[in-house]
Amino acid sequence: MKRAVLMIIDGLRADLVTPEYTPALFRIAGSARFFSRHRSVFPSATRVNSASISTGCYPGTHGLFGNAIALDEGDGLRPVSVGPPEFRDRLRAVTGRTLLRPTLAERVRHNGGAVIYSNSSAGAAHMLDPDGHGWLYHRSGSFSPGLDPIEGTAHLNVSYDGAGDAETTARFCDAMRSDADVPFFITWVCEPDHSQHTLELGSGEHREVILGSDRCAAAVKETVEILRAQGDDVLFIIASDHGHETVDEIIPVEDLLVEAGLKASTDSSDVVFASSGMGALVYLSDTALERRGSIVRWLNKQAWCGEVYAGEGLERVGLAASNNLAVAFSMAKREVNNRFGVRGFGHVAKDRFMNTDEAGLGQHGGLGPYETNPFLIVDGGGFAPGRTEFPSVNVDIAPTILRHLGLSAANLDGRPLPVHD
Ligand SMILES: [Zn+2]
């Protein structure tokens, strides 16, 4: 039977897949195809990339633009975090739907279905299957097709950390062995991303956390080999959603917009600021649309600001000028090492939904070279072993899986990955 197994190790940048940091992943990569120039979509944030991995489309196509977005729930535009479990219902209540494109779980629904285990935020987990086409296991709630709650011991009741990842992985490996008719499996471990937000990249504690996720990878690979020994033709994709860089300074962009006279007040709905960490979005209400040019000119003068995209220009970074999105930008970068030799610094746009941001610790969300370079390893499925510089993107994962399963990959932004040079 043809099967596809996708494992995401959240927040692990490609240059940290080394014999020292990740011995098991390095071994897996040695007999598989390693896409060294793999890229996140922008913003390089988990929830956005989760939706791009599951749909094979850029945010401008699938409709989820950031880790936080602006929604008008009846009293004007307000910033809303995508993270909490209730987000998908809030989005559906406002727009009538969730993602604008079908997920892999929907595409395989009538071909045996999808089994998904995730220990990321609820919002990121839900973007893998927001409408309940498969079996989704998450600590905030587990669901069978039709979004019927799974309760009792079958629910995934784990902690949001490395220990929870290890339990999630063990449960996932059991499911792979026992759900003999299911063609598609996803597991998503929250580390090292979760701890990188509170650690210095490359520190001893950070290395310990990465080793935990590396052990999870080894367990999944071992189970993949059991399935192969039983005769299954398994495509095993193991990747990350984005990388991390070191936080330079936290910039209170929302307050600065008010000070500059470009936004009425912190909580006003004329101009709504939605941070994704090292990248951010600016939404404009219909009455404030004429301020777009002033905001772009102001951003371009700020030393803390990097590349700015607006209007039709949003399409150049995979976004779209729809749902009141007007401007997107990455924060400024510095090409220097931190004290543990891990390269890349960037400013953070202060995020009202994130209270752990701190100079010297990890973050992501912008267009920096490391935060946008997650690792990607493709094992089996006819892929030739070796390192390739083919410029792959997270949107290419879904069409690659669909090709392996013999299903149509029509209307996706991504393209199936080449199996050899
Ligand atoms: Zn992530």
Side-chain angles (χ1 to χ4, degrees):
M1 177 180 178
K2 284 205 181 252
R3 301 175 110 178
V5 176
L6 172 62
M7 178 176 198
I8 302 292
I9 295 180
D10 205 309
L12 183 61
R13 44 192 267 186
D15 64 342
L16 298 191
V17 176
T18 66
E20 296 75 32
Y21 274 97
T22 58
L25 272 182
F26 193 79
R27 252 194 328 272
I28 295 168
S31 60
R33 198 143 191 83
F34 188 93
F35 289 80
S36 62
R37 290 178 62 196
H38 189 58
R39 291 287 161 199
S40 308
V41 302
F42 175 72
S44 55
T46 304
R47 299 152 200 168
V48 184
N49 277 277
S50 177
S52 287
I53 288 168
S54 69
T55 61
C57 293
Y58 284 98
T61 308
H62 63 58
L64 185 81
F65 296 163
N67 256 11
I69 61 164
L71 268 190
D72 183 351
E73 296 176 299
D75 57 349
L77 290 173
R78 303 278 173 210
V80 173
S81 171
V82 177
E86 45 300 346
F87 172 78
R88 64 179 163 186
D89 293 334
R90 289 175 74 177
L91 181 63
R92 198 183 278 116
V94 170
T95 65
R97 52 196 302 186
T98 56
L99 296 176
L100 304 179
R101 287 300 174 92
T103 60
L104 284 167
E106 182 171 355
R107 289 172 182 271
V108 302
R109 179 172 186 157
H110 299 294
N111 300 79
V115 168
I116 302 166
Y117 281 78
S118 173
N119 198 29
S120 62
S121 71
H126 289 174
M127 290 309 134
L128 296 173
D129 183 21
D131 302 316
H133 293 285
W135 287 261
L136 174 72
Y137 297 87
H138 185 266
R139 61 184 186 279
S140 71
S142 302
F143 302 92
S144 57
L147 290 176
D148 283 336
I150 296 170
E151 281 153 0
T153 55
H155 167 58
L156 185 67
N157 184 20
V158 299
S159 51
Y160 186 24
D161 55 17
D165 283 347
E167 275 190 73
T168 301
T169 302
R171 282 279 307 271
F172 179 73
C173 291
D174 284 347
M176 282 168 66
R177 283 192 297 266
S178 56
D179 297 345
D181 299 331
V182 173
F184 181 44
F185 293 87
I186 306 178
T187 189
W188 191 302
V189 295
C190 72
E191 298 290 13
D193 176 84
H194 182 63
S195 290
Q196 281 172 173
H197 286 284
T198 59
L199 291 174
E200 287 180 82
L201 303 179
S203 63
E205 285 166 289
H206 178 221
R207 287 165 179 260
E208 278 302 310
V209 169
I210 291 182
L211 282 172
S213 296
D214 194 55
R215 286 190 290 273
C216 293
V220 175
K221 165 72 172 170
E222 197 179 305
T223 310
V224 164
E225 291 306 331
I226 291 170
L227 299 185
R228 285 176 177 156
Q230 292 168 358
D232 287 334
D233 176 3
V234 184
L235 173 72
F236 178 34
I237 299 182
I238 181 161
S240 191
D241 50 345
H242 55 79
H244 265 241
E245 297 182 6
T246 298
V247 177
D248 229 329
E249 283 179 57
I250 318 287
I251 310 295
V253 180
E254 195 165 50
D255 298 338
L256 294 174
L257 279 165
V258 175
E259 270 172 39
L262 294 165
K263 172 170 165 57
S265 65
T266 306
D267 290 317
S268 63
S269 61
D270 54 341
V271 175
V272 171
F273 181 72
S275 175
S276 282
M278 289 177 167
L281 309 174
V282 179
Y283 290 77
L284 297 179
S285 68
D286 296 343
T287 55
L289 267 181
E290 80 284 355
R291 264 178 262 170
R292 194 180 84 193
S294 315
I295 290 171
V296 169
R297 281 189 295 279
W298 177 79
L299 283 169
N300 277 320
K301 277 190 254 173
Q302 309 305 314
W304 45 259
C305 191
E307 304 93 317
V308 182
Y309 301 87
E312 300 300 309
L314 289 165
E315 290 172 21
R316 285 165 47 210
V317 277
L319 289 165
S322 57
N323 299 325
N324 296 92
L325 179 65
V327 182
F329 60 94
S330 178
M331 300 295 278
K333 298 292 173 186
R334 281 195 302 143
E335 267 290 322
V336 291
N337 290 357
N338 76 355
R339 65 181 177 129
F340 297 105
V342 178
R343 201 153 183 80
F345 276 68
H347 295 308
V348 162
K350 186 173 166 37
D351 182 352
R352 60 164 68 204
F353 300 112
M354 182 99 183
N355 53 20
T356 56
D357 284 330
E358 195 179 314
L361 310 182
Q363 240 306 7
H364 55 100
L367 288 166
Y370 308 101
E371 61 187 336
T372 58
N373 184 204
F375 78 95
L376 170 63
I377 297 167
V378 186
D379 173 52
F383 277 81
R387 198 178 173 91
T388 172
E389 296 202 340
F390 179 83
S392 59
V393 183
N394 273 339
V395 295
D396 299 330
I397 290 174
T400 303
I401 288 168
L402 291 168
R403 178 181 63 189
H404 179 74
L405 296 176
L407 299 172
S408 163
N411 296 320
L412 274 67
D413 292 336
R415 294 285 172 267
L417 294 166
V419 295
H420 56 73
D421 286 331

